Amino acid sequence: MVYQNARKRLENTQPGFDPRINQGLAKSHFNLGMAYMKYERFLEAHHEFSKAFNLEPENIVSAIQMARCLSKTGNKEGALSLLKKALETQPKHVEAKIQLGILYHSLRKLKEAYREWKEALLLDPENKSAQMYLSMFDYEITQSGSHVQAETISY
């Protein structure tokens, strides 16, 4: 009920010309999207993240969350396209690279996944997520008996 009331209030508020108003509305839509994600209501979450992104197109985090929603609902190609576009505007965005790596991995595009995680780690050597995914990747390759060595994958 709380989420429905918040959504009604947001729908009745019109974006203004004041960037602070747009930023506040974008944050509200983003937070509502995160709440929907928590309850695995991915279509509603995508809708809210889309509103946040439209109000603040430079905020790549909304685009990343939209891509996560698309992936969760089975539209992995849509998610892939969205993440690639986001990285065109901000090519050094670590979280976008990590999410793109996750998506590539789910599509079994292992070289691409490794490349994205490695680039994320090069951009932020202390990033725990990038470290974790690379470690999991190395373990997966080792356990599968694959002839592909993580170190030999070039990018």
Side-chain angles (χ1 to χ4, degrees):
M1 187 66 165
V2 172
Y3 300 114
Q4 291 172 341
N5 289 339
R7 186 175 188 164
K8 281 181 186 177
R9 273 186 264 135
L10 282 172
E11 287 174 352
N12 292 329
T13 306
Q14 297 298 318
F17 294 105
D18 185 342
R20 292 172 298 176
I21 292 173
N22 286 355
Q23 186 179 30
L25 285 173
K27 185 175 182 178
S28 296
H29 284 295
F30 183 86
N31 289 339
L32 188 53
M34 292 304 289
Y36 281 131
M37 287 286 282
K38 180 179 178 181
Y39 294 103
E40 298 184 2
R41 295 176 64 176
F42 303 117
L43 294 176
E44 291 96 336
H46 182 273
H47 181 71
E48 295 303 327
F49 293 132
S50 178
K51 285 182 176 183
F53 185 72
N54 286 336
L55 288 165
E56 281 190 305
E58 69 282 356
N59 187 347
I60 194 171
V61 178
S62 294
I64 292 168
Q65 294 302 330
M66 286 169 41
R68 289 182 66 213
C69 291
L70 290 172
S71 179
K72 294 280 189 183
T73 58
N75 186 353
K76 293 187 184 226
E77 291 303 320
L80 189 66
S81 175
L82 189 57
L83 286 172
K84 285 180 176 180
K85 284 180 186 174
L87 281 165
E88 285 175 10
T89 62
Q90 295 183 35
K92 294 183 179 184
H93 197 282
V94 174
E95 182 60 28
K97 289 190 162 295
I98 291 169
Q99 290 300 318
L100 186 55
I102 293 168
L103 187 57
Y104 276 138
H105 187 268
S106 74
L107 295 168
R108 304 306 299 159
K109 295 182 177 184
L110 302 182
K111 289 181 181 182
E112 292 88 345
Y114 178 84
R115 181 189 66 234
E116 294 301 329
W117 293 329
K118 188 71 172 177
E119 287 179 5
L121 196 58
L122 290 172
L123 290 168
D124 181 3
E126 301 299 317
N127 189 288
K128 299 294 182 199
S129 293
Q131 292 172 358
M132 178 193 69
Y133 284 113
L134 284 171
S135 293
M136 287 176 23
F137 181 88
D138 288 339
Y139 178 79
E140 184 179 326
I141 294 297
T142 302
Q143 294 302 309
S144 71
S146 174
H147 298 291
V148 177
Q149 296 276 326
E151 294 79 25
T152 64
I153 298 175
S154 60
Y155 58 97

